Amino acid sequence: MTLQEKREVASVGSNAALAARDHRPGDYVCRNAWYSLCHDSAVKNKPLARTLDEKPVVVWRDRTGKIVVQDDSCLHRRVPLSLGKIADGTLQCPYHGWSYDSRGSCVKIPSLGPGSTPNSRFVLGTYPSHVRYGLVWVWYGDPAATDTDLIPDIPFLHPNRSAPCERQLVYEAASELAVENLLDLTHLDILHGRIIGDPGGGFENIEESATDEVVTMTRLSKDRKPPASQAPFYGFPKQQDFFQMTLTYVRTGACLVSTFFTPPGWNISLYLPCTPEGPNRTRMDYSMAITGPWWYQKIFPPLNRIIAMQDHRVLRVQNPNYRRKFDADDRDKSVPADAPGLRYRQVRRALIQRQMAGDMAYRDGWRGKDPAEVLHAKRLG
Ligand code: FES
Ligand SMILES: [Fe+2]
């Protein structure tokens, strides 16, 4: 659908019925899903603290090198185990030294004396986990439904290796707001206008498509002026086109964001998991794949850090306005460029309704288009 067609649809169609009051970011975290918690490379010889849906979890590596994700709260007196240490392949609490193995069994309680065996019912909550694309994934939901085939496809990352460039950031805002930020990239021209956008704009064609679980936004923009800060890198072209894709796994907020610049024909692809730490906090331990000369690969990550800070400035003040109660007619006003974000709200709301009714299943065809194919087709086009 073209932008013009979208405009007509948006003015009369179902998108207009999606009210802000129906959409309160941060209220619900979906179950039966793989959330990426941290980079595999970040888990060394010390336990690492993370949070998912307000639950503190600890990530550590057992004697065999396998990743373990467990409740970050000692069964004895609730001290965070992430403050402890790994000793003899177990996780040891820093307070009285209770130690847990990779299955959560408490295997040592020093105060019981040497040779004693802890109560077999002292078992720490342990989550199914898996390492892929250099990321630690944790299954949040019914352990019996755990299935590694449900991990998102990330075509620009190697499944068995860490990404060439890994970074972390935290937003003081709900995960849904971080996702919408990535589904509407027209904000690049304004909020990030000096770094990556063009306030003058250009030809725009924004399209969206969706399954029950995945929303895909594509944005083709032509005849643009390269941003002043980057024009020298590209050889000062007078005009530049770019193609962008954001693909969102709605259940978890995990996003794939790719941008192709022509000229010079370089590409930046980011995996940005909008992992919900709580209603007002989102964590992204994110990964980048950049094509272009080595120096561009060095320059872009710090630029992206500035971009993220600019986003955070907006998201953290936007968040309280969404977290308070809305009046009946206090709705977001939207334009055609908001169609992908509105679609995301619609898909997410349906998903939450299904989950609240007890239906956690993934439906046939939920993945939709292969992200690699979307990118390839558009690059050729
Ligand atoms: S609180 Fe952990 S051993 Fe006492
Ligand atoms: Fe942004």
CSV table of all heavy atoms in Angstrom, one decimal, residues 11 63 77 111 113 134 208 299 333 339:
chain,number,residue,atom,x,y,z
A,11,SER,N,-7.7,7.7,7.5
A,11,SER,CA,-8.7,8.8,7.8
A,11,SER,C,-10.0,8.1,8.0
A,11,SER,O,-10.8,8.7,8.7
A,11,SER,CB,-8.8,9.8,6.6
A,11,SER,OG,-9.2,9.1,5.5
A,63,ARG,N,30.3,-25.2,35.6
A,63,ARG,CA,31.7,-25.7,35.3
A,63,ARG,C,31.9,-26.1,33.9
A,63,ARG,O,33.0,-26.0,33.4
A,63,ARG,CB,31.9,-27.0,36.2
A,63,ARG,CG,33.3,-27.2,36.6
A,63,ARG,CD,33.4,-28.6,37.2
A,63,ARG,NE,32.7,-28.8,38.5
A,63,ARG,CZ,33.3,-28.5,39.7
A,63,ARG,NH1,34.5,-28.1,39.7
A,63,ARG,NH2,32.6,-28.7,40.8
A,77,ARG,N,17.8,-15.8,53.0
A,77,ARG,CA,17.3,-14.5,53.5
A,77,ARG,C,17.3,-13.5,52.3
A,77,ARG,O,17.5,-12.3,52.5
A,77,ARG,CB,18.2,-14.0,54.7
A,77,ARG,CG,17.9,-14.8,56.0
A,77,ARG,CD,16.5,-14.6,56.5
A,77,ARG,NE,16.3,-15.3,57.7
A,77,ARG,CZ,15.8,-16.6,57.8
A,77,ARG,NH1,15.6,-17.3,56.7
A,77,ARG,NH2,15.6,-17.1,59.0
A,111,SER,N,26.6,-23.6,57.6
A,111,SER,CA,26.3,-23.6,59.1
A,111,SER,C,25.8,-25.0,59.5
A,111,SER,O,25.7,-25.3,60.7
A,111,SER,CB,25.2,-22.5,59.4
A,111,SER,OG,24.0,-22.9,58.8
A,113,GLY,N,27.4,-27.6,59.0
A,113,GLY,CA,28.6,-28.4,59.4
A,113,GLY,C,29.1,-29.2,58.2
A,113,GLY,O,28.3,-29.5,57.3
A,134,GLY,N,25.0,-15.1,19.8
A,134,GLY,CA,25.9,-14.4,20.8
A,134,GLY,C,25.0,-13.8,21.9
A,134,GLY,O,25.5,-13.0,22.7
A,208,GLU,N,3.4,-1.3,5.8
A,208,GLU,CA,3.5,-2.2,7.0
A,208,GLU,C,2.7,-3.5,6.6
A,208,GLU,O,1.9,-3.5,5.8
A,208,GLU,CB,2.8,-1.6,8.2
A,208,GLU,CG,1.4,-1.0,8.1
A,208,GLU,CD,0.3,-1.9,8.4
A,208,GLU,OE1,0.5,-3.1,8.7
A,208,GLU,OE2,-0.9,-1.5,8.2
A,299,ILE,N,33.1,4.3,13.6
A,299,ILE,CA,32.5,5.6,13.9
A,299,ILE,C,31.0,5.4,14.2
A,299,ILE,O,30.5,6.1,15.1
A,299,ILE,CB,32.6,6.5,12.6
A,299,ILE,CG1,34.0,7.0,12.5
A,299,ILE,CG2,31.7,7.7,12.7
A,299,ILE,CD1,34.3,7.6,11.2
A,333,LYS,N,-3.5,11.3,18.4
A,333,LYS,CA,-3.8,11.7,17.0
A,333,LYS,C,-2.7,11.1,16.1
A,333,LYS,O,-1.5,11.2,16.5
A,333,LYS,CB,-3.9,13.2,16.9
A,333,LYS,CG,-4.8,13.9,17.9
A,333,LYS,CD,-6.2,13.5,17.8
A,333,LYS,CE,-7.1,14.2,18.7
A,333,LYS,NZ,-7.1,13.7,20.1
A,339,ALA,N,1.1,4.3,10.9
A,339,ALA,CA,0.3,3.0,10.6
A,339,ALA,C,1.1,1.8,11.2
A,339,ALA,O,0.5,1.0,11.8
A,339,ALA,CB,0.1,2.9,9.1
